[in-house]
Amino acid sequence: MKQDAFPPRADARPVTLETHGIARQDDFAWLRADNWQEVMKDPSVLDADIRTYLEAENAYHEAQMAPTKALQEKLFAEMRGRIKEDDSSVPSPDGPFAYGLKYETGGQQPVFFRTPRDGGDETVLLHGDKEAEGTAYFRIGGVSQSTDHKLIAWAYDNKGSEYYSLRLRDAETATDFDYAIEDTGGGGVFSEDSRYVFYVRLDANHRPSKLFRHEVGTDPAADVLVYEEKDAGFFMGVGKTQSGETIVIDIHDHETSEVWMIPASDPTAEPVLVAERETGIEYSIDDHGETLYILTNAGDAEDFKIVTAPKSNPGRENWSDLVPHKPGCLILSHCVYKTFMTRLEREDGLPRIVIRRLADDIEHSIAFDEEAYSLGLGGGYEFDTNTIRFSYSSMTTPSQTFDYNVETRERVLRKEQEVPSGHDAGDYVTRRLMAPAADGETVPVSVLYRKDTKLDGTAPLLLYGYGSYGITIPASFNTNCLSLVDRGFVYAIAHIRGGKDKGFHWYKDGRRENKKNTFTDFIAAADHLVAENITSHDRIVAQGGSAGGMLMGAVANLAPEKFGGIIAEVPFVDVLSTMLDDTLPLTPPEWPEWGNPITDKEAYDYIASYSPYDNVEAKAYPAILAVGGLTDPRVTYWEPAKWVAKLRATATGDKLLMLKTNMEAGHGGASGRFDRLKEVAEAQAFALLVTGKA
């Protein structure tokens, strides 16, 4: 690394902020652009002082990583070599056609196509690479076909800000109508007669607050407002039941749900409420004729249950248990077909698919024998079918796609992930460890390494964690991590509290007033990996993104001596300031996850006690790579920028500290599949650099 390059230092421009009578000083608040809403749509309007600082950090990052350029190119080539460039999904049948997506050799973006149902020539509906021509950033959102198969609704974002333009396209000619609907949430839902499209529009603060009905071929200015959510603390989405009979307006935050229904056959009808929102009660619906099938945690069903209700009178007083609550067995999702229902559930940390025949309620399940694995369940397009499609993988087994006949129980392998450069599962070992936490809990840790890697405490290790919003990180096949593993790294995932890996309580025990469990669980995982003589603390590189980036900032403050390096991607590190700013896109909907420090002093004090930015101290930190996106609406660019600026001004020691801001992307990083691999290669080069393996 270039020690002669002088790291940039942001000017300290102190601002004193006061909340609940408590004053705090923020030296780098100026990095938050006052016109951030405009920057999301037009990055060129960013304040010159802010841009100068971000570009100086980018130049420093470039200089420090320059010696690894050849390594990055090699890593990129390896990762690209594991991708089947002309890959294609297994098309899913829908009426007379089957719909799928594919990639072309050298292509960065997906190509959407259809064939006759029983096979035949492909018709390209949407060619992502052609649509992306001339743009620095391009990401396709939702793509859906109309009920009569004559139209395609598709959305794209060309800034990284997640303001999607929605377009309608003639499926036969693959030509768009001469207008676009701007500032949408990223997709559209057709009515049964294909005459109308329902979509959600984002407001100036990037909140999905209004549902509109658009009549195909008319001026979007005349679109009808169907529903408006007045509470800025709730998200809104629109979808359709598996039967296609009901358009579903889904309103939710991180702990409360409310659903409204519109008959797809009567699209101008007023929405009908299923059950009024009640704090802490979540539910989602599917339907079968006049019956609703509802997945819910109502009635103290912490790990959820499935109830039924008449569609004509769906209130909570009419809910009747169908699949009762079973503590420790978390029901993740459900889907209803003409003759059966599926549900995906997790028990003892492992997923399974359960099939229930509607005629007699007889059930059977699909499960696997590996120590750690991942299952995915696709709904498909059709309601009247006996076939479901699911995917399976493990940390050593490439993804497999199966069609499964629920009557005969025959399983047909439709696709197996190809690794063109070669992959022998027998070369690798995957294990599930249980790390003891200080309060008596045990934290699952999924581990992958080459069978010839010596586990004598000297192996470098990349430890990944997330731990928020109830999101479970699956132990699935990941070709990218093999480049590290093949170089002697151990790859590990810490399934920490804040996710739902061990049931819903695992989530509750890692949010709000219990948030610090997430951080101490991650540290416990690191300690256990060292205690098992798999690695040593100075050989561990921790990695997390978004809320997982907050985890990175927190553990860097709590236990910097236990990590040799930190990779924090789009890190949510300025937690207190963000949760106090109710103008930001996600702040009000996030209060159920973190607490509301504006109205609740206890929440203020608790967040202040762990917010990574607010707890930077004059001590030695591990090497840190922080990555942000200028147009990111989820974790705004100034969070990593402020954090690195404060670390530079405060931290002691001489470890490498870098900030890279992608000036042409948002939360997900680069949009093309190969451009994204370059970012992965750069992060891996950093891990190899700080562990002496570069």
Side-chain angles (χ1 to χ4, degrees):
M1 58 188 81
K2 287 175 64 67
Q3 297 293 351
D4 58 335
F6 190 76
R9 289 188 178 270
D11 294 338
R13 304 178 189 177
V15 173
T16 300
L17 308 165
E18 186 171 316
T19 309
H20 301 297
I22 303 168
R24 61 190 177 101
Q25 181 175 303
D26 190 343
D27 289 348
F28 304 105
W30 65 272
L31 288 169
R32 175 195 185 280
D34 292 334
N35 65 335
W36 61 264
Q37 291 101 327
E38 288 78 16
V39 173
M40 294 284 176
K41 295 186 175 184
D42 183 4
S44 69
V45 302
L46 181 68
D47 177 84
D49 281 358
I50 299 172
R51 182 177 292 277
T52 297
Y53 170 67
L54 296 180
E55 289 178 344
E57 286 284 5
N58 281 352
Y60 176 72
H61 164 269
E62 185 73 16
Q64 294 301 303
M65 293 299 291
T68 70
K69 282 298 181 185
L71 172 62
Q72 290 180 47
E73 290 171 4
K74 185 171 177 57
L75 290 166
F76 171 73
E78 288 173 7
M79 287 184 274
R80 183 166 181 168
R82 297 190 194 102
I83 294 175
K84 186 176 186 294
E85 293 205 15
D86 58 347
D87 201 10
S88 177
S89 69
V90 181
S92 294
D94 184 18
F97 299 103
Y99 290 81
L101 67 82
K102 64 179 181 179
Y103 286 90
E104 296 179 344
T105 300
Q108 296 252 37
Q109 300 287 342
V111 177
F112 295 82
F113 68 90
R114 73 183 181 192
T115 66
R117 181 186 182 96
D118 297 321
D121 293 339
E122 289 182 359
T123 299
V124 172
L125 303 170
L126 178 65
H127 197 296
D129 289 305
K130 291 180 180 177
E131 300 296 338
E133 287 177 1
T135 64
Y137 180 96
F138 190 84
R139 188 180 298 276
I140 295 174
V143 178
S144 57
Q145 61 269 23
S146 62
T147 311
D148 63 8
H149 301 279
K150 293 181 179 179
L151 301 172
I152 300 294
W154 70 284
Y156 65 91
D157 167 21
N158 59 9
K159 298 284 192 308
S161 60
E162 299 179 48
Y163 280 105
Y164 285 88
S165 299
L166 179 64
R167 304 214 64 155
L168 296 176
R169 169 167 295 202
D170 185 300
E172 286 295 323
T173 63
T175 56
D176 287 330
F177 287 38
D178 60 1
Y179 61 85
I181 304 172
E182 302 296 345
D183 300 340
T184 77
V189 176
F190 283 98
S191 60
E192 186 178 289
D193 61 7
S194 305
R195 181 179 171 186
Y196 297 98
V197 177
F198 292 83
Y199 66 91
V200 173
R201 181 171 286 162
L202 308 182
D203 64 18
N205 283 10
H206 207 280
R207 292 175 186 150
S209 58
K210 294 180 179 179
L211 178 76
F212 285 89
R213 183 180 67 243
H214 171 72
E215 186 171 1
V216 173
T218 67
D219 186 347
D223 289 355
V224 175
L225 177 64
V226 176
Y227 183 91
E228 180 174 6
E229 176 52 49
K230 303 287 189 180
D231 189 333
F234 280 79
F235 302 97
M236 179 165 55
V238 62
K240 229 178 194 182
T241 56
Q242 183 69 25
S243 69
E245 293 183 359
T246 304
I247 292 164
V248 178
I249 308 169
D250 173 43
I251 299 159
H252 63 277
D253 61 14
H254 293 298
E255 64 175 3
T256 303
S257 306
E258 185 173 274
V259 171
W260 296 74
M261 304 181 294
I262 300 172
S265 60
D266 189 10
T268 61
E270 290 295 314
V272 173
L273 176 66
V274 174
E276 190 173 350
R277 69 190 71 172
E278 181 180 325
T279 300
I281 302 298
E282 297 182 72
Y283 71 94
S284 59
I285 73 164
D286 209 343
D287 64 1
H288 187 293
E290 294 305 311
T291 302
L292 293 182
Y293 288 75
I294 304 169
L295 175 63
T296 182
N297 65 346
D300 297 320
E302 180 177 74
D303 288 314
F304 288 74
K305 62 182 179 180
I306 298 175
V307 303
T308 58
K311 191 182 286 187
S312 59
N313 195 5
R316 198 168 293 130
E317 67 279 3
N318 294 316
W319 291 6
S320 177
D321 285 8
L322 179 69
V323 179
H325 176 238
K326 179 184 176 184
C329 180
L330 177 64
I331 304 177
L332 300 164
S333 64
H334 74 309
C335 189
V336 182
Y337 298 83
K338 185 175 181 180
T339 62
F340 64 96
M341 177 179 71
T342 63
R343 67 180 187 269
L344 181 64
E345 58 188 32
R346 183 182 298 111
E347 189 170 19
D348 297 326
L350 292 176
R352 64 171 168 257
I353 297 166
V354 181
I355 316 296
R356 184 186 186 101
R357 196 158 58 197
L358 298 181
D360 53 18
D361 294 334
I362 291 176
E363 294 188 348
H364 70 276
S365 62
I366 306 170
F368 292 83
D369 295 329
E370 286 195 76
E371 201 171 322
Y373 61 86
S374 172
L375 278 181
L377 183 59
Y381 296 119
E382 298 194 310
F383 178 66
D384 187 1
T385 180
N386 287 328
T387 302
I388 62 169
R389 181 166 293 165
F390 70 88
S391 62
Y392 167 83
S393 75
S394 74
M395 295 178 81
T396 58
T397 307
S399 178
Q400 299 171 324
T401 301
F402 293 92
D403 277 354
Y404 181 80
N405 187 300
V406 300
E407 291 294 335
T408 66
R409 305 190 186 184
E410 180 186 11
R411 183 185 301 180
V412 178
L413 178 63
R414 295 297 307 274
K415 181 184 176 183
E416 191 162 13
Q417 181 181 353
E418 293 182 43
V419 182
S421 59
H423 174 73
D424 184 349
D427 290 340
Y428 302 91
V429 178
T430 183
R431 293 169 58 191
R432 175 67 67 99
L433 307 179
M434 301 303 290
D439 62 356
E441 281 283 7
T442 54
V443 181
V445 184
S446 298
V447 177
L448 173 72
Y449 54 90
R450 284 190 67 93
K451 66 181 181 182
D452 56 2
T453 297
K454 291 182 179 179
L455 300 184
D456 57 2
T458 63
L461 183 144
L462 190 134
L463 181 60
Y464 181 85
Y466 188 74
S468 290
Y469 307 115
I471 293 173
T472 298
I473 304 301
S476 55
F477 189 67
N478 175 359
T479 58
N480 293 340
C481 74
L482 295 177
S483 285
L484 286 179
V485 172
D486 286 346
R487 285 172 170 79
F489 262 74
V490 176
Y491 179 74
I493 302 169
H495 302 280
I496 50 185
R497 276 175 278 192
K500 292 178 183 171
D501 306 72
K502 293 177 71 174
F504 196 85
H505 83 279
W506 204 241
Y507 172 37
K508 289 203 305 185
D509 290 348
R511 69 176 182 182
R512 284 203 294 269
E513 67 277 4
N514 299 315
K515 189 64 213 169
K516 291 181 184 178
N517 286 334
T518 303
F519 317 140
T520 56
D521 280 0
F522 191 82
I523 295 167
D527 286 342
H528 188 63
L529 290 161
V530 172
E532 291 288 297
N533 209 33
I534 292 173
T535 188
S536 55
H537 281 296
D538 63 346
R539 309 288 283 156
I540 299 177
V541 178
Q543 182 180 26
S546 195
M550 175 193 64
L551 168 69
M552 296 299 101
V555 300
N557 288 332
L558 288 170
E561 74 284 357
K562 295 190 176 183
F563 302 94
I566 301 279
I567 301 170
E569 296 169 308
V570 290
F572 178 36
V573 283
D574 194 11
V575 184
L576 186 59
S577 294
T578 294
M579 288 298 100
L580 286 167
D581 187 349
D582 61 6
T583 69
L584 292 174
L586 293 185
T587 293
E590 296 289 288
W591 288 328
E593 182 76 12
W594 316 106
N596 183 348
I598 297 174
T599 61
D600 183 349
K601 183 178 181 300
E602 287 187 8
Y604 177 96
D605 291 340
Y606 190 69
I607 294 171
S609 73
Y610 71 75
S611 175
Y613 176 70
D614 295 279
N615 288 279
V616 170
E617 295 177 337
K619 58 187 177 187
Y621 282 81
I624 294 175
L625 169 62
V627 180
L630 182 59
T631 55
D632 188 345
R634 298 172 185 256
V635 177
T636 49
Y637 75 85
W638 60 83
E639 295 214 21
K642 288 174 60 177
W643 182 48
V644 169
K646 190 171 183 179
L647 282 165
R648 282 211 197 288
T650 311
T652 63
D654 60 356
K655 294 293 178 67
L656 188 59
L657 172 61
M658 296 184 293
L659 168 69
K660 177 185 178 180
T661 305
N662 191 326
M663 306 299 279
E664 296 177 330
H667 196 65
S671 56
R673 60 173 174 159
F674 301 131
D675 289 342
R676 175 59 186 149
L677 285 184
K678 292 177 182 177
E679 295 179 337
V680 176
E682 190 171 67
Q684 290 192 2
F686 172 81
L688 290 160
L689 181 68
V690 301
T691 54
K693 300 282 284 187

